Amino acid sequence: MAGQRVFVSGVGGELGTQIASLLEDEPWVGALAGIDADPPRSRFKRTTFHRIHPHEHDRIVSTVIDFDPHVLVHVGVWEPNARASPRLAAELTDRAATSILGAAAECRSLEHVVVRSAITIYGRDSLTRPDEDSPIRPTSEWGRTVADIERTAASVAERVGVTVGAVRLAPVIGPHVPSPLGRLLRLPAVPFNVLRDPSFAVIRQNDAARAIIAAARERLAQPVNVVASDSVSVSQAALRGRRVPVPTVGPQWVLARRLAHLAGAPIPDHVAETLIHGRLADNGRMRELLGVVPLETTPEVIDHLYGWPSIVRYPARKQVA
């Protein structure tokens, strides 16, 4: 298995950058290349980076085919209100998936595909802790987006006879991760569902990266939930961060979303679902399928979220025209 060529999409984001950096130290990885519309967040030791926008279909296709990977790791997805508006995020994600996964299908050496997915794929009306056998019933734009990615990857894999694994991540939290849920929880006041105050779970960026690398190394051939152990409710999370939990019900959610948007923390529909219905998933198959488990629990990740420094903006010392 040594000397495998690995191609990573989305290496410009925090998660993608970390995945590529860790893959550089994997003994089974040979040539390594990555693609994104934005430059990576740190210097690579041996990853060849291609800066290409999702709209440049022909360049993406030729780049992937010329590299001819054995393994494709597709994490080039845009979560709504992370770095782009919901409409733009869906468009960019769809274009990238169509071009990259389509190009991979033309690669003669392709053996395996790993795609980033999310536990939002189960929807808000799923079981309390859905496992990988639970029905896929997305009820948010983000859930429908990752469901489309899984279907596209499965179609490509079936057509060319390769294996495909989907890593269904809980909301990813990290010190530099543009998480809409993380931004909301760091506001001075956080709305919560006073009628239920449901629980949710998250995953630390480092643990998400380790899981995706394990999925590539172990040739994961099915979906797997990657979720930190334990959970917290929204009001509990706010209190851990010394924020003010604001009881919210019914029409008050409309006002809460408007105020959060004005405060710089827009609430897309999948985050609203988390606040109102909770967001959990069964993580019992992680160790069996990937050989790894998260190093941090959900409460620990939330505590670290409140410990990370905020962005401080300094005005220019000298105004220029």
Side-chain angles (χ1 to χ4, degrees), residues 78-90 92 183:
W78 281 258
E79 182 181 359
N81 285 129
R83 292 187 182 277
S85 67
R87 179 177 297 181
L88 179 58
L92 293 173
R183 289 195 199 108

Side-chain angles (χ1 to χ4, degrees), residues 12-66:
E14 283 78 2
L15 180 59
T17 296
Q18 185 169 16
I19 289 170
S21 297
L22 292 175
L23 281 170
E24 291 181 332
D25 297 326
E26 288 286 309
W28 59 273
V29 176
L32 190 59
I35 189 174
D36 207 322
D38 300 309
R41 305 296 162 178
S42 64
R43 290 182 178 274
F44 292 136
K45 292 182 293 186
R46 62 186 185 90
T47 302
T48 301
F49 172 65
H50 302 274
R51 188 174 186 179
I52 307 175
H53 195 275
H55 289 89
E56 298 178 88
H57 172 78
D58 291 343
R59 284 190 63 199
I60 293 174
V61 171
S62 63
T63 299
V64 175
I65 292 178
D66 289 345

